[in-house]
Amino acid sequence: MQRSTFLDSAAIGASLLCLIHCIGLPILFALLPALATIGLPSSEWLHLALLLTAIPISGLALVGGWRAHGAVVPLLLGGVGLAGLAAGLAFGSMPGAETALTVAGSLALAMAHIGNWRRLRTA
């Protein structure tokens, strides 16, 4: 149970970092137009790396939590969150859709891990 709680905490932190990245970067570009015009490299590789990191960490934490407390909601919500992150990556050519899907996926995944963490504390 200790390992799953640690993984949930790590996943919550990663989701929040992703959220800050997804919201902060467009705001930064809007506030500093000079940065938008210099042609910064695409962040698709970063999104892919984050997704490939989130899948095993979230999978281990959420499945481990489900086995310990039996609640299926965090597991399902985590699946929806991971699907949102993957959809955001798939819609990388549409910045508005990419940001919306990634932010929604990050929030859903963070909520899943918070719910899992709370249930593990009471189990």
Side-chain angles (χ1 to χ4, degrees), residues 42-102:
S42 170
S43 63
E44 284 183 27
W45 67 270
L46 176 63
H47 289 174
L48 180 61
L50 289 171
L51 179 62
L52 293 176
T53 302
I55 289 170
I57 291 173
S58 294
L60 287 171
L62 295 171
V63 170
W66 170 71
R67 288 182 178 161
H69 55 63
V72 74
V73 172
L75 189 61
L76 293 176
L77 188 57
V80 168
L82 289 171
L85 293 177
L89 184 62
F91 285 94
S93 62
M94 300 170 58
E98 174 192 15
T99 300
L101 290 165
T102 303

Side-chain angles (χ1 to χ4, degrees), residues 13-57:
S15 293
L16 292 176
L17 287 175
C18 182
L19 184 62
I20 290 168
H21 164 76
C22 289
I23 293 174
L25 199 56
I27 291 172
L28 181 63
F29 282 150
L31 293 176
L32 303 172
L35 283 179
T37 61
I38 63 174
L40 293 175
S42 170
S43 63
E44 284 183 27
W45 67 270
L46 176 63
H47 289 174
L48 180 61
L50 289 171
L51 179 62
L52 293 176
T53 302
I55 289 170
I57 291 173

